[in-house]
Amino acid sequence: MNTKTTTKKYKRISKYPLSVPIPVQGKQSLEQPNVVKFQQLLPTIDGIATGTPNKVIRQSDAASFVAQLPNLAENQSRIGKIYNNTRIETRHLAIDLLSEEGMALTANDNPIQSRMQLYKEYAFPLAEKVARKALESAASSVETNNYLHSKLNIEDSIRLIVFVSSTGFIAPGVDTELIKKLGLKPDTARVTVNFMGCAAAMNGLRIACDHVLAHPNNKVLLVCLELSSVNAVFADEVNDVIIHSIFSDGCAAVVIGACEKEQAIAQGKVVIKDHLSYLIENTEDGIVLGIRDNGITCQLSRQLPDYIKNGVGSIIERFLASHSLTKDNIDLWAVHPGGTRIIENAQNSLGLTDNQVADSWEILREYGNMLSPSVLFVMERMLLKCQDFQTATNLNYQSQNASQQTKALTGIAFSFAPGVGVEGILFQKL
Protein backbone atom coordinates (compact mmCIF):
# COMPACT_ATOMS: atom_id res chain seq x y z
CA MET A 1 0.00 0.00 0.00
CA ASN A 2 1.28 3.44 -0.86
CA THR A 3 1.69 5.81 2.02
CA LYS A 4 2.34 9.49 2.48
CA THR A 5 5.02 10.32 5.02
CA THR A 6 6.61 13.38 6.49
CA THR A 7 9.83 13.45 8.44
CA LYS A 8 12.43 15.75 9.89
CA LYS A 9 15.76 15.44 11.62
CA TYR A 10 16.29 16.60 15.17
CA LYS A 11 19.91 16.93 16.09
CA ARG A 12 19.31 18.23 19.59
CA ILE A 13 17.78 17.25 22.99
CA SER A 14 17.77 17.50 26.94
CA LYS A 15 16.03 16.48 30.26
CA TYR A 16 15.86 16.78 34.07
CA PRO A 17 13.42 15.00 36.48
CA LEU A 18 13.54 11.97 34.21
CA SER A 19 17.27 12.33 34.02
CA VAL A 20 19.41 9.72 35.67
CA PRO A 21 23.03 10.37 36.63
CA ILE A 22 25.50 8.00 35.04
CA PRO A 23 28.81 7.18 36.69
CA VAL A 24 32.01 8.36 35.05
CA GLN A 25 35.14 6.86 36.49
CA GLY A 26 37.52 9.51 37.80
CA LYS A 27 40.67 9.64 39.88
CA GLN A 28 40.27 7.98 43.24
CA SER A 29 42.06 8.79 46.45
CA LEU A 30 42.96 6.50 49.31
CA GLU A 31 40.58 8.45 51.51
CA GLN A 32 37.65 8.00 49.09
CA PRO A 33 38.36 4.83 47.12
CA ASN A 34 34.81 4.39 45.78
CA VAL A 35 33.97 7.94 44.78
CA VAL A 36 32.88 8.42 41.15
CA LYS A 37 31.82 11.52 39.26
CA PHE A 38 28.21 11.63 37.98
CA GLN A 39 26.91 13.31 34.90
CA GLN A 40 23.26 13.87 34.07
CA LEU A 41 21.71 11.60 31.45
CA LEU A 42 18.74 12.85 29.42
CA PRO A 43 16.21 11.02 27.18
CA THR A 44 16.01 12.58 23.73
CA ILE A 45 13.88 12.50 20.61
CA ASP A 46 16.41 11.50 17.95
CA GLY A 47 14.01 11.07 15.05
CA ILE A 48 10.32 11.47 14.30
CA ALA A 49 8.16 10.70 11.27
CA THR A 50 4.47 10.57 10.46
CA GLY A 51 2.44 9.03 7.67
CA THR A 52 -1.08 8.25 6.52
CA PRO A 53 -2.82 6.01 4.00
CA ASN A 54 -3.19 7.63 0.59
CA LYS A 55 -6.97 7.39 0.43
CA VAL A 56 -8.41 10.82 1.28
CA ILE A 57 -12.07 11.70 1.70
CA ARG A 58 -13.45 15.18 2.05
CA GLN A 59 -15.69 15.69 5.04
CA SER A 60 -18.44 17.20 2.89
CA ASP A 61 -18.50 14.09 0.68
CA ALA A 62 -18.63 11.81 3.73
CA ALA A 63 -21.56 13.75 5.17
CA SER A 64 -23.53 13.46 1.93
CA PHE A 65 -22.82 9.74 1.67
CA VAL A 66 -23.75 8.88 5.26
CA ALA A 67 -26.94 10.96 5.10
CA GLN A 68 -28.20 8.70 2.31
CA LEU A 69 -27.75 5.42 4.19
CA PRO A 70 -31.21 3.84 4.64
CA ASN A 71 -30.61 2.64 8.19
CA LEU A 72 -29.76 6.18 9.32
CA ALA A 73 -32.96 7.73 8.00
CA GLU A 74 -34.18 8.71 11.46
CA ASN A 75 -31.07 10.84 12.02
CA GLN A 76 -30.72 12.10 8.46
CA SER A 77 -31.53 15.71 9.33
CA ARG A 78 -28.77 15.81 11.98
CA ILE A 79 -25.97 14.21 9.96
CA GLY A 80 -24.92 17.25 7.93
CA LYS A 81 -24.70 19.41 11.05
CA ILE A 82 -22.68 16.76 12.91
CA TYR A 83 -20.06 16.56 10.15
CA ASN A 84 -19.93 20.31 9.62
CA ASN A 85 -19.34 20.98 13.32
CA THR A 86 -16.18 18.82 13.37
CA ARG A 87 -14.11 21.55 11.62
CA ILE A 88 -12.45 18.66 9.74
CA GLU A 89 -11.89 19.14 6.01
CA THR A 90 -10.15 15.90 5.03
CA ARG A 91 -9.35 12.52 6.54
CA HIS A 92 -6.95 9.77 5.42
CA LEU A 93 -8.33 6.24 5.58
CA ALA A 94 -6.94 2.80 4.77
CA ILE A 95 -10.41 1.78 3.58
CA ASP A 96 -12.48 4.28 1.67
CA LEU A 97 -15.79 4.08 3.50
CA LEU A 98 -17.51 5.71 0.54
CA SER A 99 -16.55 2.81 -1.75
CA GLU A 100 -18.20 -0.58 -2.28
CA GLU A 101 -15.52 -2.16 -0.09
CA GLY A 102 -16.27 0.37 2.62
CA MET A 103 -20.02 -0.17 2.39
CA ALA A 104 -19.57 -3.92 2.72
CA LEU A 105 -17.28 -3.44 5.70
CA THR A 106 -19.72 -1.24 7.60
CA ALA A 107 -22.39 -3.93 7.60
CA ASN A 108 -23.32 -4.93 11.13
CA ASP A 109 -22.74 -8.61 10.46
CA ASN A 110 -19.11 -8.18 9.34
CA PRO A 111 -17.22 -10.24 11.97
CA ILE A 112 -14.29 -8.93 13.96
CA GLN A 113 -12.06 -11.71 12.57
CA SER A 114 -12.29 -10.28 9.05
CA ARG A 115 -11.70 -6.76 10.36
CA MET A 116 -8.52 -7.82 12.15
CA GLN A 117 -7.33 -9.46 8.93
CA LEU A 118 -7.82 -6.14 7.16
CA TYR A 119 -5.98 -4.39 9.98
CA LYS A 120 -3.02 -6.72 9.43
CA GLU A 121 -3.08 -6.20 5.67
CA TYR A 122 -2.99 -2.40 5.89
CA ALA A 123 -0.97 -1.94 9.10
CA PHE A 124 2.22 -3.73 8.07
CA PRO A 125 3.20 -1.57 5.06
CA LEU A 126 2.22 1.71 6.72
CA ALA A 127 4.18 0.94 9.89
CA GLU A 128 7.25 -0.11 7.92
CA LYS A 129 7.20 3.01 5.75
CA VAL A 130 6.89 5.44 8.66
CA ALA A 131 9.36 3.55 10.90
CA ARG A 132 11.99 3.64 8.15
CA LYS A 133 11.62 7.40 7.89
CA ALA A 134 12.05 7.79 11.66
CA LEU A 135 15.17 5.60 11.61
CA GLU A 136 16.63 7.62 8.73
CA SER A 137 16.01 10.80 10.70
CA ALA A 138 17.64 9.35 13.81
CA ALA A 139 20.63 7.95 11.90
CA SER A 140 21.48 11.36 10.52
CA SER A 141 21.29 12.94 13.98
CA VAL A 142 23.64 10.54 15.80
CA GLU A 143 26.73 12.40 16.94
CA THR A 144 29.96 10.47 16.47
CA ASN A 145 31.51 12.10 19.52
CA ASN A 146 28.88 10.71 21.89
CA TYR A 147 30.70 7.91 23.66
CA LEU A 148 27.44 6.48 24.98
CA HIS A 149 26.69 5.16 21.52
CA SER A 150 28.86 2.78 19.57
CA LYS A 151 29.50 2.95 15.84
CA LEU A 152 26.69 0.46 15.18
CA ASN A 153 24.20 1.46 12.53
CA ILE A 154 20.88 2.77 13.74
CA GLU A 155 19.10 -0.56 13.19
CA ASP A 156 21.55 -2.36 15.48
CA SER A 157 21.15 0.34 18.12
CA ILE A 158 17.41 -0.32 18.43
CA ARG A 159 17.05 -2.73 21.37
CA LEU A 160 13.32 -2.25 22.08
CA ILE A 161 10.22 -1.72 19.97
CA VAL A 162 7.16 -0.22 21.65
CA PHE A 163 4.09 -0.73 19.47
CA VAL A 164 0.90 1.20 20.24
CA SER A 165 -2.61 0.59 18.91
CA SER A 166 -6.21 0.50 20.07
CA THR A 167 -7.80 -0.36 16.73
CA GLY A 168 -6.26 -3.74 15.98
CA PHE A 169 -5.12 -6.83 17.84
CA ILE A 170 -2.99 -9.46 16.08
CA ALA A 171 -0.18 -11.70 17.31
CA PRO A 172 2.43 -12.18 16.00
CA GLY A 173 1.88 -8.53 15.28
CA VAL A 174 3.29 -5.41 13.70
CA ASP A 175 6.25 -5.37 16.09
CA THR A 176 7.49 -8.76 14.91
CA GLU A 177 7.03 -7.76 11.27
CA LEU A 178 9.08 -4.60 11.84
CA ILE A 179 11.98 -6.59 13.25
CA LYS A 180 12.10 -8.61 10.04
CA LYS A 181 11.40 -5.84 7.54
CA LEU A 182 13.72 -3.24 9.12
CA GLY A 183 16.58 -5.67 9.68
CA LEU A 184 16.59 -5.30 13.46
CA LYS A 185 18.30 -7.83 15.68
CA PRO A 186 16.15 -10.88 16.54
CA ASP A 187 16.80 -10.32 20.25
CA THR A 188 15.18 -6.88 20.12
CA ALA A 189 12.76 -6.62 23.02
CA ARG A 190 9.06 -5.92 22.33
CA VAL A 191 6.35 -4.16 24.33
CA THR A 192 2.81 -3.44 23.18
CA VAL A 193 0.45 -0.76 24.53
CA ASN A 194 -3.18 -1.51 23.75
CA PHE A 195 -6.56 0.00 24.56
CA MET A 196 -5.21 3.24 25.99
CA GLY A 197 -6.91 5.20 23.21
CA CYS A 198 -5.75 8.66 22.19
CA ALA A 199 -3.27 8.95 25.06
CA ALA A 200 -1.33 5.78 24.26
CA ALA A 201 1.59 7.59 22.60
CA MET A 202 2.36 9.21 25.94
CA ASN A 203 2.41 5.78 27.61
CA GLY A 204 4.74 4.51 24.91
CA LEU A 205 7.10 7.43 25.37
CA ARG A 206 7.26 6.74 29.11
CA ILE A 207 8.31 3.14 28.47
CA ALA A 208 10.90 4.24 25.91
CA CYS A 209 12.41 6.88 28.21
CA ASP A 210 12.67 4.45 31.12
CA HIS A 211 14.50 1.98 28.87
CA VAL A 212 17.15 4.39 27.55
CA LEU A 213 17.81 5.77 31.02
CA ALA A 214 18.45 2.24 32.25
CA HIS A 215 20.39 1.30 29.09
CA PRO A 216 22.04 4.46 27.72
CA ASN A 217 23.76 2.61 24.86
CA ASN A 218 20.38 1.58 23.45
CA LYS A 219 17.75 3.30 21.38
CA VAL A 220 14.00 2.61 21.31
CA LEU A 221 11.64 2.64 18.35
CA LEU A 222 8.11 3.74 19.24
CA VAL A 223 5.41 3.13 16.61
CA CYS A 224 1.82 4.34 17.07
CA LEU A 225 -0.57 3.05 14.42
CA GLU A 226 -4.36 3.34 14.30
CA LEU A 227 -6.78 2.17 11.59
CA SER A 228 -10.21 3.23 12.74
CA SER A 229 -11.65 2.63 9.28
CA VAL A 230 -11.42 -1.17 9.61
CA ASN A 231 -13.83 -1.01 12.58
CA ALA A 232 -16.43 1.30 11.05
CA VAL A 233 -20.06 0.30 11.61
CA PHE A 234 -23.19 2.25 10.73
CA ALA A 235 -26.16 1.20 12.79
CA ASP A 236 -29.08 3.50 13.43
CA GLU A 237 -27.18 5.17 16.26
CA VAL A 238 -26.02 8.76 16.50
CA ASN A 239 -22.84 7.57 18.25
CA ASP A 240 -21.82 5.63 15.12
CA VAL A 241 -22.28 8.77 13.04
CA ILE A 242 -20.24 10.88 15.48
CA ILE A 243 -17.45 8.30 15.63
CA HIS A 244 -17.27 8.09 11.84
CA SER A 245 -17.27 11.87 11.47
CA ILE A 246 -14.20 12.30 13.70
CA PHE A 247 -11.86 9.31 13.57
CA SER A 248 -9.31 8.54 10.86
CA ASP A 249 -6.16 6.52 10.20
CA GLY A 250 -2.51 7.39 10.71
CA CYS A 251 0.89 6.35 11.99
CA ALA A 252 3.72 8.08 13.86
CA ALA A 253 7.15 6.73 14.78
CA VAL A 254 9.72 8.14 17.20
CA VAL A 255 13.28 7.07 17.96
CA ILE A 256 14.24 7.72 21.59
CA GLY A 257 17.86 7.86 22.72
CA ALA A 258 19.87 9.34 25.56
CA CYS A 259 22.79 11.70 25.98
CA GLU A 260 24.49 13.76 28.66
CA LYS A 261 23.12 17.12 29.68
CA GLU A 262 26.08 19.07 28.34
CA GLN A 263 25.81 17.42 24.94
CA ALA A 264 22.08 17.99 24.83
CA ILE A 265 22.57 21.70 25.42
CA ALA A 266 25.45 21.98 22.96
CA GLN A 267 23.57 20.11 20.22
CA GLY A 268 20.22 21.78 20.80
CA LYS A 269 18.33 18.54 21.24
CA VAL A 270 14.68 17.85 22.02
CA VAL A 271 14.49 16.50 25.55
CA ILE A 272 11.67 14.80 27.45
CA LYS A 273 11.93 16.21 30.95
CA ASP A 274 9.07 14.45 32.76
CA HIS A 275 5.81 12.51 32.34
CA LEU A 276 2.29 13.35 33.50
CA SER A 277 -0.37 10.80 34.36
CA TYR A 278 -3.58 11.72 36.18
CA LEU A 279 -6.92 9.93 36.43
CA ILE A 280 -9.79 12.42 36.71
CA GLU A 281 -12.22 11.37 39.43
CA ASN A 282 -15.67 10.02 38.51
CA THR A 283 -15.20 10.19 34.74
CA GLU A 284 -15.26 6.49 33.88
CA ASP A 285 -18.03 6.97 31.32
CA GLY A 286 -16.14 9.69 29.43
CA ILE A 287 -14.27 7.44 27.01
CA VAL A 288 -15.22 3.77 26.82
CA LEU A 289 -13.52 1.31 24.46
CA GLY A 290 -15.00 -2.11 23.84
CA ILE A 291 -14.88 -5.18 21.63
CA ARG A 292 -18.05 -6.47 19.96
CA ASP A 293 -18.62 -9.31 17.55
CA ASN A 294 -18.44 -6.86 14.66
CA GLY A 295 -15.41 -4.81 15.70
CA ILE A 296 -13.75 -2.51 18.22
CA THR A 297 -15.99 0.26 19.49
CA CYS A 298 -15.63 3.65 21.13
CA GLN A 299 -18.35 5.35 23.16
CA LEU A 300 -17.91 9.04 23.99
CA SER A 301 -19.99 10.53 26.78
CA ARG A 302 -21.79 13.83 26.30
CA GLN A 303 -20.07 14.84 29.53
CA LEU A 304 -16.54 14.34 28.13
CA PRO A 305 -16.06 18.00 27.12
CA ASP A 306 -17.14 19.07 30.61
CA TYR A 307 -14.77 16.55 32.22
CA ILE A 308 -11.93 18.10 30.23
CA LYS A 309 -12.97 21.70 30.87
CA ASN A 310 -13.35 21.14 34.62
CA GLY A 311 -10.27 18.99 35.12
CA VAL A 312 -7.44 19.78 32.74
CA GLY A 313 -6.54 23.28 33.89
CA SER A 314 -5.86 22.40 37.52
CA ILE A 315 -4.10 19.14 36.60
CA ILE A 316 -1.67 20.85 34.22
CA GLU A 317 -1.07 23.75 36.62
CA ARG A 318 -0.18 21.40 39.49
CA PHE A 319 2.12 19.42 37.22
CA LEU A 320 3.91 22.56 36.07
CA ALA A 321 4.16 23.83 39.65
CA SER A 322 6.01 20.65 40.60
CA HIS A 323 8.71 21.85 38.18
CA SER A 324 8.56 25.46 39.45
CA LEU A 325 6.83 26.46 36.22
CA THR A 326 3.61 28.26 35.34
CA LYS A 327 1.59 28.39 32.13
CA ASP A 328 3.50 31.54 31.19
CA ASN A 329 6.69 29.47 30.99
CA ILE A 330 5.25 27.16 28.30
CA ASP A 331 6.11 28.11 24.73
CA LEU A 332 4.65 25.06 22.97
CA TRP A 333 1.20 23.61 23.68
CA ALA A 334 0.63 20.28 21.91
CA VAL A 335 -3.03 19.67 22.78
CA HIS A 336 -4.54 16.42 21.51
CA PRO A 337 -6.65 17.23 18.41
CA GLY A 338 -9.45 14.91 19.45
CA GLY A 339 -12.31 17.03 18.16
CA THR A 340 -13.73 20.53 18.21
CA ARG A 341 -15.05 20.40 21.77
CA ILE A 342 -11.93 18.60 23.01
CA ILE A 343 -9.61 21.37 21.84
CA GLU A 344 -12.02 24.16 22.78
CA ASN A 345 -12.54 22.94 26.33
CA ALA A 346 -8.86 22.21 26.93
CA GLN A 347 -8.09 25.69 25.59
CA ASN A 348 -10.70 27.33 27.80
CA SER A 349 -9.67 25.36 30.87
CA LEU A 350 -6.05 26.47 30.46
CA GLY A 351 -6.82 29.99 29.25
CA LEU A 352 -4.90 29.51 26.00
CA THR A 353 -5.13 31.77 22.97
CA ASP A 354 -6.12 30.57 19.51
CA ASN A 355 -2.53 31.01 18.39
CA GLN A 356 -1.22 28.75 21.16
CA VAL A 357 -3.36 25.82 19.97
CA ALA A 358 -3.15 26.62 16.24
CA ASP A 359 -1.13 23.49 15.42
CA SER A 360 -3.74 21.25 17.07
CA TRP A 361 -6.48 22.88 14.99
CA GLU A 362 -4.43 22.44 11.81
CA ILE A 363 -3.89 18.73 12.41
CA LEU A 364 -7.59 18.23 13.19
CA ARG A 365 -8.59 20.08 10.03
CA GLU A 366 -6.23 18.14 7.76
CA TYR A 367 -6.39 14.66 9.29
CA GLY A 368 -9.21 14.31 11.82
CA ASN A 369 -8.63 12.39 15.06
CA MET A 370 -6.11 9.58 14.44
CA LEU A 371 -6.14 8.56 18.12
CA SER A 372 -2.64 7.83 19.48
CA PRO A 373 -0.55 9.27 16.59
CA SER A 374 -2.45 12.59 16.59
CA VAL A 375 -0.50 14.39 19.31
CA LEU A 376 2.77 13.26 17.70
CA PHE A 377 1.60 14.84 14.43
CA VAL A 378 1.13 18.07 16.41
CA MET A 379 4.55 17.78 18.04
CA GLU A 380 6.25 17.09 14.72
CA ARG A 381 4.68 20.19 13.18
CA MET A 382 5.74 22.31 16.14
CA LEU A 383 9.30 21.02 16.11
CA LEU A 384 9.64 21.66 12.38
CA LYS A 385 8.57 25.26 12.92
CA CYS A 386 10.92 25.61 15.91
CA GLN A 387 13.88 24.30 13.94
CA ASP A 388 13.21 26.65 11.05
CA PHE A 389 12.81 29.58 13.47
CA GLN A 390 15.93 28.73 15.46
CA THR A 391 17.97 28.28 12.28
CA ALA A 392 16.93 31.71 11.04
CA THR A 393 17.54 33.23 14.47
CA ASN A 394 20.98 31.65 14.73
CA LEU A 395 21.95 33.06 11.35
CA ASN A 396 20.81 36.49 12.48
CA TYR A 397 22.71 36.18 15.76
CA GLN A 398 25.87 35.09 13.96
CA SER A 399 25.76 38.22 11.86
CA GLN A 400 25.26 40.42 14.94
CA ASN A 401 26.76 38.74 17.99
CA ALA A 402 28.34 35.31 17.80
CA SER A 403 28.21 34.91 21.58
CA GLN A 404 24.41 35.03 21.71
CA GLN A 405 22.38 31.82 21.82
CA THR A 406 18.78 31.09 20.96
CA LYS A 407 16.30 30.64 23.78
CA ALA A 408 15.32 27.11 24.74
CA LEU A 409 11.63 26.43 24.15
CA THR A 410 9.62 24.58 26.80
CA GLY A 411 6.59 22.55 25.74
CA ILE A 412 3.91 20.28 27.07
CA ALA A 413 1.98 17.64 25.12
CA PHE A 414 -1.05 15.77 26.44
CA SER A 415 -3.88 13.47 25.38
CA PHE A 416 -6.85 11.75 26.98
CA ALA A 417 -7.21 8.07 27.88
CA PRO A 418 -10.23 6.00 28.89
CA GLY A 419 -10.99 6.72 32.48
CA VAL A 420 -10.77 9.77 31.77
CA GLY A 421 -7.02 9.97 32.19
CA VAL A 422 -4.69 12.81 31.25
CA GLU A 423 -1.36 11.55 29.93
CA GLY A 424 1.39 13.91 28.88
CA ILE A 425 5.03 14.90 28.68
CA LEU A 426 7.03 17.99 29.54
CA PHE A 427 9.68 18.56 26.88
CA GLN A 428 12.19 21.15 25.82
CA LYS A 429 13.65 22.17 22.48
CA LEU A 430 17.15 23.43 23.29
Side-chain angles (χ1 to χ4, degrees):
M1 182 184 72
N2 293 326
T3 58
K4 177 177 123 182
T5 60
T6 60
T7 181
K8 189 70 178 179
K9 305 170 186 176
Y10 298 109
K11 298 185 177 180
R12 310 156 185 187
I13 303 173
S14 97
K15 172 175 189 213
Y16 311 98
L18 272 187
S19 61
V20 170
I22 58 172
V24 178
Q25 195 69 37
K27 293 183 179 180
Q28 298 180 359
S29 65
L30 292 177
E31 292 78 16
Q32 295 177 307
N34 296 318
V35 170
V36 293
K37 185 171 70 174
F38 287 88
Q39 295 187 14
Q40 194 173 32
L41 186 66
L42 313 172
T44 61
I45 296 178
D46 289 353
I48 185 171
T50 59
T52 60
N54 272 346
K55 294 186 180 71
V56 181
I57 54 174
R58 298 191 63 80
Q59 194 75 331
S60 56
D61 295 335
S64 299
F65 175 83
V66 173
Q68 300 304 315
L69 294 177
N71 58 325
L72 293 174
E74 292 184 12
N75 294 302
Q76 192 175 61
S77 61
R78 302 177 58 188
I79 289 174
K81 183 177 181 181
I82 290 173
Y83 278 76
N84 185 60
N85 287 342
T86 63
R87 292 177 62 171
I88 297 169
E89 292 184 4
T90 54
R91 287 178 293 146
H92 298 248
L93 303 176
I95 298 174
D96 183 356
L97 298 178
L98 311 188
S99 65
E100 291 185 5
E101 179 190 24
M103 291 181 64
L105 182 67
T106 58
N108 288 331
D109 58 352
N110 205 303
I112 191 171
Q113 291 91 334
S114 63
R115 294 177 186 273
M116 293 303 98
Q117 184 59 39
L118 284 171
Y119 176 90
K120 179 179 180 179
E121 175 184 341
Y122 287 104
F124 284 175
L126 180 58
E128 179 187 353
K129 186 79 171 183
V130 177
R132 283 190 185 279
K133 292 294 184 180
L135 290 175
E136 291 171 5
S137 175
S140 64
S141 71
V142 172
E143 297 293 334
T144 57
N145 62 351
N146 186 349
Y147 78 86
L148 289 174
H149 298 286
S150 68
K151 296 184 181 299
L152 295 175
N153 60 36
I154 190 66
E155 290 80 10
D156 289 338
S157 297
I158 300 295
R159 306 305 297 127
L160 171 66
I161 290 180
V162 181
F163 180 72
V164 170
S165 187
S166 296
T167 53
F169 300 100
I170 52 175
V174 175
D175 50 350
T176 59
E177 189 72 7
L178 287 175
I179 289 176
K180 293 185 293 182
K181 294 292 187 180
L182 299 177
L184 306 182
K185 292 182 177 181
D187 61 346
T188 301
R190 297 176 289 135
V191 173
T192 59
V193 178
N194 302 122
F195 249 38
M196 287 297 289
C198 299
M202 301 293 102
N203 301 100
L205 286 173
R206 182 186 297 111
I207 295 169
C209 290
D210 287 346
H211 180 89
V212 296
L213 290 178
H215 307 281
N217 290 316
N218 297 352
K219 292 185 182 296
V220 178
L221 174 62
L222 167 67
V223 178
C224 302
L225 190 149
E226 306 288 0
L227 300 178
S228 296
S229 63
V230 304
N231 294 290
V233 173
F234 285 117
D236 190 12
E237 299 178 11
V238 175
N239 186 73
D240 290 339
V241 175
I242 294 174
I243 293 301
H244 175 267
S245 71
I246 296 173
F247 291 118
S248 55
D249 302 344
C251 180
V254 182
V255 176
I256 298 295
C259 73
E260 295 170 359
K261 179 180 178 180
E262 292 76 8
Q263 289 179 318
I265 296 174
Q267 298 168 20
K269 288 183 173 290
V270 179
V271 177
I272 299 176
K273 299 179 65 177
D274 199 8
H275 297 275
L276 162 68
S277 185
Y278 193 93
L279 188 62
I280 304 175
E281 295 82 358
N282 302 317
T283 61
E284 290 81 0
D285 65 325
I287 304 172
V288 179
L289 302 182
I291 299 178
R292 299 189 298 203
D293 291 341
N294 62 352
I296 297 171
T297 67
C298 178
Q299 186 79 32
L300 303 178
S301 169
R302 293 182 179 181
Q303 302 302 314
L304 177 59
D306 291 332
Y307 294 155
I308 292 172
K309 182 178 180 179
N310 297 331
V312 168
S314 58
I315 292 169
I316 298 297
E317 288 177 359
R318 286 195 300 269
F319 176 65
L320 293 177
S322 69
H323 293 270
S324 299
L325 298 172
T326 69
K327 291 182 294 183
D328 292 337
N329 299 122
I330 302 301
D331 305 293
L332 306 171
W333 291 91
V335 179
H336 170 59
T340 301
R341 299 188 68 191
I342 300 299
I343 300 177
E344 285 178 344
N345 283 279
Q347 179 180 351
N348 292 336
S349 184
L350 289 161
L352 304 179
T353 66
D354 291 340
N355 186 59
Q356 286 175 300
V357 294
D359 289 300
S360 296
W361 282 117
E362 288 180 17
I363 294 298
L364 180 67
R365 178 176 57 83
E366 295 177 25
Y367 298 98
N369 182 355
M370 298 168 285
L371 285 86
S372 63
S374 292
V375 72
L376 297 179
F377 272 67
V378 177
M379 284 189 64
E380 180 192 44
R381 181 163 299 201
M382 285 182 166
L383 293 174
L384 291 176
K385 291 179 179 179
C386 290
Q387 182 159 299
D388 292 341
F389 172 77
Q390 288 183 330
T391 298
T393 304
N394 276 331
L395 291 174
N396 185 50
Y397 280 160
Q398 289 172 9
S399 65
Q400 297 181 23
N401 187 343
S403 65
Q404 289 183 301
Q405 295 182 352
T406 54
K407 171 183 177 292
L409 300 175
T410 301
I412 189 167
F414 60 90
S415 301
F416 303 101
V420 171
V422 181
E423 302 285 343
I425 59 170
L426 181 67
F427 65 95
Q428 194 167 44
K429 175 70 171 68
L430 297 179

